[in-house]
Amino acid sequence: MIDLADPLFLLLLPLPVVVLWLIPGHVHRGAALTVPDAVARSLLGAGQQQMLKSGRRLLLPGLVWLLLVIALAGPRLLEPVSALRVSGRDLAIAIDLSGSMVRDDFHLDGQQVTRLEAVQKVGSDFVRRRAGDRVALIVFGSEAYYAAPFSFDTEAIARRIEEASIGISGRATNISDGLGLALKRMEHSDAATKVVILLSDGISNAGSTNPRAVARLAADMGVRVHTIALGPKDLETSDPGERGVVDAATLRAISELSGGTSFRVRTSEDLLDVTQALDRLEATTGDGLAAEVYRELWIYPALLAGLGCLWIGWRSTR
């Protein structure tokens, strides 16, 4: 149904008539001329024809004025729009940006890439599929930082993941603070479901809190934590003192304590499988938000009025 955004502009329609009525007409003050009746009738007939021509000349400017006023009133059409599916879930993604994420022991599209590049590609694609979730991004290294607030704008969150860089949060690994900051942001959330996805490729070697203690806090808050242990080697099977290994046991314990699921990722293919598994675990179906979207139509009468002005200007130059 078409309606007007500002219908009060229609009050301007009679403005040209009011202006013509207020401007006094031209009064001829010369001497009167007496003519025969036949000549007078001829002159009156010519005057009527001239008035008719004048009326026709005013028709196009009047139409242009009408179109301009309609354009100002803002005609618009209410169109049905597919409602956003809302899951009722707050989903916080906590990504490890410690120095070990620069290791280039992953392959993506046939090319050798760093761990961070693999996470950026797969993680951003995962976030873009989370339409209906309120998503936030936390990054952690030596310290934890809130990179993006909870938002339904998954595209903006995905871009933040793609722009993440090593060193912004320090080069150590502070899993406790990364998870703790995610929980702090969920403290006042009224979402029906609260989930954290925690990805790390190292051993928690910063911070004074035990990650397992933070996991128990998550369980008390009703927050489910899914963990991703990233890297070819883990602490349990590596040689003593070997660098670049992930503490898969601690991440697995975090998930178990909070009621989540733990994933072990050694290759880019594993990482892709994990995101698909998370899609199944945390489906995004839900009720839709009601929305009203208008399609603006003012451009059409404005365009016709502009063409009319061009025509009037062209005729006046002839």
Side-chain angles (χ1 to χ4, degrees):
M1 179 179 178
I2 296 178
D3 67 353
L4 299 176
D6 299 293
L8 289 178
F9 276 107
L10 295 180
L11 296 176
L12 295 175
L13 281 174
L15 182 61
V17 177
V18 173
V19 172
L20 289 175
W21 179 67
L22 292 177
I23 296 176
H26 178 69
V27 179
H28 182 69
R29 299 186 182 280
L33 177 65
T34 302
V35 296
D37 291 342
V39 175
R41 286 193 296 271
S42 177
L43 291 174
L44 287 173
Q48 290 173 351
Q49 292 178 1
Q50 186 64 29
M51 289 178 63
L52 182 60
K53 290 181 180 179
S54 298
R56 290 174 178 173
R57 285 198 300 268
L58 291 176
L59 180 62
L60 183 56
L63 180 59
V64 168
W65 177 252
L66 173 64
L67 290 169
L68 284 174
V69 172
I70 291 175
L72 287 172
R76 57 187 183 176
L77 179 65
L78 181 62
E79 293 185 333
V81 176
S82 299
L84 174 67
R85 304 297 292 177
V86 178
S87 67
R89 178 189 297 109
D90 277 355
L91 175 63
I93 299 177
I95 296 179
D96 185 349
L97 290 184
S98 60
S100 56
M101 289 289 285
V102 77
R103 291 178 178 271
D104 55 353
D105 49 9
F106 274 66
H107 289 81
L108 195 63
D109 297 330
Q111 295 184 342
Q112 192 169 0
V113 297
T114 65
R115 298 177 181 182
L116 176 60
E117 289 171 334
V119 170
Q120 286 174 322
K121 175 63 173 66
V122 178
S124 59
D125 290 344
F126 169 74
V127 168
R128 288 188 172 97
R129 297 196 301 270
R130 304 311 301 177
D133 286 349
R134 248 183 19 131
V135 184
L137 177 64
I138 292 93
V139 297
F140 64 92
S142 304
E143 305 288 341
Y145 294 96
Y146 201 42
F150 280 104
S151 171
F152 288 109
D153 189 355
T154 54
E155 177 62 30
I157 307 297
R159 287 198 300 267
R160 288 294 183 90
I161 293 176
E162 293 169 340
E163 295 166 357
S165 59
I166 302 295
I168 189 172
S169 54
R171 304 186 70 85
T173 303
N174 191 342
I175 294 176
S176 300
D177 281 7
L179 178 56
L181 182 57
L183 297 179
K184 182 176 179 59
R185 293 297 179 175
M186 289 182 168
E187 186 177 2
H188 301 293
S189 170
D190 56 359
T193 305
K194 291 175 278 191
V195 178
V196 175
I197 297 176
L198 173 66
L199 182 146
S200 178
D201 74 330
I203 303 169
S204 189
N205 54 14
S208 58
T209 307
N210 189 302
R212 288 176 172 82
V214 183
R216 283 189 284 270
L217 175 61
D220 293 339
M221 293 176 59
V223 178
R224 188 164 55 246
V225 183
H226 301 303
T227 60
I228 302 173
L230 182 77
K233 297 183 179 181
D234 55 64
L235 184 62
E236 296 170 298
T237 59
S238 63
D239 297 329
E242 189 172 355
R243 299 173 63 85
V245 299
V246 60
D247 188 357
T250 295
L251 294 174
R252 186 166 56 250
I254 291 173
S255 294
E256 291 173 353
L257 288 168
S258 63
T261 303
S262 180
F263 299 93
R264 184 69 180 90
V265 172
R266 294 180 174 83
T267 66
S268 299
E269 290 74 18
D270 291 343
L271 187 58
L272 182 60
D273 291 341
V274 166
T275 61
Q276 294 172 350
L278 287 170
D279 279 336
R280 293 190 295 269
L281 283 172
E282 305 294 346
T284 56
T285 56
D287 296 330
L289 287 176
E292 291 186 351
V293 177
Y294 287 96
R295 181 161 65 95
E296 302 294 339
L297 303 176
W298 63 267
I299 185 64
Y300 302 108
L303 181 60
L304 291 174
L307 292 174
C309 290
L310 291 175
W311 175 261
I312 293 172
W314 178 74
R315 290 297 299 270
S316 64
T317 58
R318 296 185 60 186

